[in-house]
Amino acid sequence: MALTNVFVVLLSTALAVLPFSPADAGVVGVSYGRLGNDLPGTASVVKLLKKSGITSVRLYDANSKVLKALANTGITVMVMLPNDKLAAAAADPSSARRWVRRNVAAYYPATQIHAVAVGNEVFEEAKNLTGQLVPAMSNVHDALVKLGLDGAVKVSTPIAFTALQESWPPSAGRFRDDIARSVMKPMIDFLERTGSYLTVNAYPFFAYAEEPDKISLDYALGNSNATGVRDPVTGLVYHSLLDAQLDATYFAMEKLGTSRSSARGPKSVAPAAHVSESGWPSGGKPKRGGRPRPRPRGGGRRLELEQAGGEAASVANAQAYNNYLIKRVLSGDTGTPYHPDADMDVYIFSLFNENQKGDGADDVEQHFGLFYPNRTKVYEFDFRGGALVASWCVANASAGDARLQAALEYACGHGADCGAIQPGAPCFEPDTRLAHASYAFNSYYQRNGRAKAACDFDGAAYVVYHEPAGTCDPNVSWCVANAAAGDARLLAALNYACANGADCGAIQPGGACFEPNTVVAHASYAFNSYYQRKGRGSGTCDFAGAGSVVYHAPKIIGKCVLPSKAWIQETTTVKSRGFKTSSV
Ligand SMILES: *[C@@H]1O[C@H](CO)[C@@H](O)[C@H](O)[C@H]1NC(C)=O
Ligand SMILES: *[C@@H]1O[C@H](CO)[C@@H](O)[C@H](O)[C@H]1NC(C)=O
Ligand SMILES: *[C@@H]1O[C@H](CO)[C@@H](O)[C@H](O)[C@H]1NC(C)=O
Ligand SMILES: *[C@@H]1O[C@H](CO)[C@@H](O)[C@H](O)[C@H]1NC(C)=O
Ligand SMILES: *[C@@H]1O[C@H](CO)[C@@H](O)[C@H](O)[C@H]1NC(C)=O
């Protein structure tokens, strides 16, 4: 098959591949609460954030030391105007302006402040300020406009999930009557007008802890079975309680009939709902009178249920949930069943276990941290993705040749590395449209940070989480023996390789690669070892014509895997590398 003009971008009318920005999908950050008397100093916290690959933080104030320490780090910051400053900001525009000047403008842009939270859970924590909330948000926004910062810095207010009167099924989602028309409606109009977003503190943990008899733990943790839970009204199926909470919020917003949603139809996502806090405790027990809880639907059996809920606070569950959040956002899979294209920013609560929160050391409130105060991780997590979100984009054979070709041209014309699939290049073989499309789609996808939208190609591609067989990485290659060279030549070359630096221990009797005990299998093992150890230098896979370089992982023979790197003994699995992007 001849693939012509792969580099030429045709003005294809058959295919409308929408451009997208990788920033679209969402950002996963961490809430940096400081209610502890044993927390590390700000400089070492900033070091820890950088070392951990955390690129966004939410603060519960606008602490000057912290904002200075975050300068020139590239870490984006949501600052907060605390509840006790809210009445003044609402009553007096000049007070709001002073606050913005001192707490935002004074640090921006060296410190990448991108949002101001006006108050926190006002309906719960400062009920008497409910009426001042939207006026305060509006004054803070006006102050940002005056300072020319309204494009860069958005204004929102984290609401507790208890702002919803109903949340199940999601389609029944609606805000509490006392705030729906009076506060939420003007707030949502404000968010929409200013290009901002709603922020919700959403805790599947507390929902589960209230009703462990009705909610499956796996579903709360975000890894429900394939069946999921169906909203009987919309028929939408939920595999994650967080998604159900977000969709309940979207339905609640929609019921207020905000201007945009009526003009653009119910499916528009404006404003988006982001998650200003979510997390899972690694220990402790939920206590009454702590954080606002979702209203339980059942009654009775309280003690028994609380106990079951309490057991859900564990290291294993916290690790599962928070890694689920990280993976969701990093993989770009941020949409919900009702709004599949929605972006989602998430701040995981919280950076540290904080010993001055809640009601004593056995309160879950003190156990939400990703780190202990001594900066040791409470469990493993990875904000850089790594193996957690290794994923690949592959071409969908059913899309048909015309669509694959158009999408292939699009990818090659928009930054995919298509040099490797040109004739003579490492990934030209197998020379099929499907293989070349998969290569190009995947290159495009990896280079765009594995954003889900970068693997759409109008339905001609899809994401997989296991490395597809035959994935070609032009930077990884192996040396294998040519059976056609014949046993005598192979044996001579095998002896040469083993005598000149190849590791031949694994092909001795009893070694992991002794079986299959054939000259060609042993020669492949030795040739490859020699090749890898010599840095894949030119001529190191020649062996007088008995060896050849391949760019697709060789078939695993028995239990023997040919290493793709020098010195590393891989005997069970091929390491998945994907195509590295500079940010990974
Ligand atoms: C709101 O109530 C708190 C006490 O709960 C009080 O300290 C504060 O002054 C009140 N604020 C207003 C504006 O009424
Ligand atoms: C599947 O998950 C749903 C939701 O988490 C749960 O209600 C249901 O019982 C589970 N089904 C099975 C067979 O485990
Ligand atoms: C940090 O603190 C935790 C919890 O107290 C403890 O288990 C861990 O061993 C400490 N790590 C170091 C390095 O001191
Ligand atoms: C592949 O494409 C076909 C036809 O367009 C579609 O029905 C199918 O769902 C796609 N498969 C995947 C995994 O996206
Ligand atoms: C291969 O390696 C080169 C140099 O290290 C790098 O620039 C290039 O991006 C890599 N290509 C892939 C597909 O990883």
Side-chain angles (χ1 to χ4, degrees):
M1 186 194 87
L3 261 184
T4 50
N5 292 334
V6 167
F7 287 109
V8 176
V9 190
L10 297 183
L11 282 176
S12 165
T13 47
L15 179 93
V17 183
L18 290 178
F20 82 102
S21 130
D24 267 346
V27 174
V28 56
V30 177
S31 294
Y32 174 22
R34 294 185 298 123
L35 293 176
N37 60 14
D38 53 356
L39 299 180
T42 47
S44 81
V45 170
V46 170
K47 249 194 225 147
L48 185 65
L49 294 171
K50 286 166 76 175
K51 188 175 135 216
S52 312
I54 295 168
T55 56
S56 190
V57 290
R58 177 183 169 204
L59 309 181
Y60 290 84
D61 52 22
N63 181 282
S64 162
K65 254 179 146 168
V66 176
L67 289 174
K68 278 186 191 143
L70 286 166
N72 304 310
T73 57
I75 296 172
T76 59
V77 188
M78 175 188 268
V79 293
M80 187 170 105
L81 180 145
N83 289 348
D84 63 12
K85 300 237 159 52
L86 203 135
D92 179 7
S94 69
S95 159
R97 219 153 40 230
R98 247 188 334 271
W99 191 90
V100 169
R101 228 184 277 121
R102 285 182 192 160
N103 298 285
V104 179
Y107 304 99
Y108 185 89
T111 302
Q112 283 287 299
I113 298 171
H114 71 128
V116 177
V118 173
N120 188 43
E121 301 194 344
V122 167
F123 312 138
E124 291 287 342
E125 288 180 17
K127 288 188 174 67
N128 60 349
L129 298 173
T130 297
Q132 276 101 306
L133 181 54
V134 178
M137 294 170 78
S138 178
N139 283 345
V140 168
H141 173 75
D142 291 347
L144 289 165
V145 171
K146 283 219 166 65
L147 292 161
L149 293 176
D150 56 309
V153 185
K154 296 299 168 194
V155 174
S156 194
T157 185
I159 60 171
F161 194 64
T162 47
L164 272 77
Q165 181 77 40
E166 292 291 341
S167 61
W168 183 260
S171 58
R174 65 183 172 90
F175 292 109
R176 271 164 34 191
D177 294 338
D178 59 322
I179 53 169
R181 295 270 145 205
S182 57
V183 187
M184 293 313 299
K185 170 86 168 91
M187 185 196 297
I188 287 158
D189 288 344
F190 164 84
L191 297 172
E192 199 162 343
R193 195 168 64 243
T194 58
S196 187
Y197 37 80
L198 187 67
T199 48
V200 187
N201 294 346
Y203 286 92
F205 168 76
F206 286 112
Y208 172 78
E210 289 288 335
E211 303 189 280
D213 56 333
K214 298 205 180 75
I215 295 175
S216 119
L217 179 60
D218 280 339
Y219 172 66
L221 290 171
N223 56 15
S224 140
N225 56 40
T227 315
V229 188
R230 194 169 160 276
D231 180 328
V233 178
T234 57
L236 294 171
V237 174
Y238 290 85
H239 299 282
S240 153
L241 178 50
L242 180 68
D243 277 346
Q245 293 186 331
L246 284 169
D247 272 357
T249 309
Y250 279 121
F251 275 102
M253 285 200 267
E254 196 176 296
K255 284 192 187 108
L256 294 176
T258 60
S259 48
R260 188 90 69 93
S261 52
S262 37
R264 291 189 359 198
K267 279 279 180 184
S268 74
V269 194
H274 289 322
V275 181
S276 36
E277 279 180 20
S278 193
W280 198 285
S282 59
K285 301 259 172 278
K287 298 243 172 139
R288 307 229 132 258
R291 188 183 298 266
R293 310 286 172 71
R295 258 160 275 281
R297 281 163 292 146
R301 294 179 53 217
R302 298 271 13 124
L303 264 174
E304 206 180 306
L305 293 183
E306 259 168 47
Q307 207 163 6
E311 280 156 18
S314 69
V315 169
N317 289 344
Q319 176 169 15
Y321 182 74
N322 285 332
N323 278 300
Y324 155 75
L325 285 181
I326 296 170
K327 183 171 167 171
R328 264 298 283 277
V329 178
L330 291 190
S331 67
D333 185 12
T334 54
T336 61
Y338 189 48
H339 284 306
D341 297 327
D343 299 339
M344 171 169 66
D345 289 352
V346 176
Y347 290 98
I348 293 179
F349 186 86
S350 61
L351 189 55
F352 295 108
N353 281 347
E354 295 167 73
N355 67 6
Q356 294 173 326
K357 277 190 71 75
D359 178 20
D362 65 336
D363 187 338
V364 288
E365 292 293 338
Q366 298 198 3
H367 300 271
F368 274 88
L370 293 170
F371 291 94
Y372 295 113
N374 64 14
R375 291 173 290 161
T376 304
K377 283 178 169 181
V378 178
Y379 40 81
E380 226 14 84
F381 51 84
D382 183 0
F383 280 84
R384 291 193 177 85
L388 276 177
V389 290
S391 53
W392 293 261
C393 182
V394 296
N396 180 351
S398 322
D401 275 358
R403 278 169 67 203
L404 286 180
Q405 180 65 27
L408 172 58
E409 283 161 10
Y410 178 87
C412 292
H414 289 82
D417 158 34
C418 294
I421 49 175
Q422 301 305 305
C427 300
F428 181 67
E429 296 293 345
D431 179 19
T432 65
R433 186 174 277 115
L434 191 62
H436 287 186
S438 277
Y439 182 88
F441 295 173
N442 188 50
S443 168
Y444 183 81
Y445 175 67
Q446 304 297 338
R447 288 182 171 196
N448 283 293
R450 299 188 189 135
K452 196 184 184 189
C455 182
D456 180 38
F457 299 102
D458 212 22
Y462 56 95
V463 173
V464 296
Y465 294 93
H466 298 284
E467 185 167 25
T471 299
C472 179
D473 183 339
N475 281 356
V476 180
S477 54
W478 294 261
C479 181
V480 296
N482 297 326
D487 279 2
R489 276 171 66 201
L490 289 177
L491 203 51
L494 167 59
N495 287 332
Y496 174 85
C498 292
N500 287 279
D503 160 31
C504 294
I507 49 176
Q508 302 307 310
C513 295
F514 180 68
E515 293 297 342
N517 182 14
T518 63
V519 173
V520 67
H522 286 191
S524 280
Y525 188 88
F527 291 3
N528 184 58
S529 171
Y530 182 86
Y531 176 67
Q532 305 297 344
R533 288 186 165 191
K534 304 280 173 186
R536 303 188 202 122
S538 90
T540 59
C541 180
D542 184 34
F543 301 105
S548 34
V549 173
V550 297
Y551 295 89
H552 297 271
K555 261 217 201 78
I556 296 173
I557 323 167
K559 279 196 221 147
C560 184
V561 174
L562 298 188
S564 60
K565 288 191 192 117
W567 309 112
I568 295 176
Q569 293 289 322
E570 290 169 285
T571 48
T572 49
T573 54
V574 180
K575 269 261 180 267
S576 78
R577 291 173 34 119
F579 298 93
K580 292 221 164 143
T581 62
S582 55
S583 65
V584 177

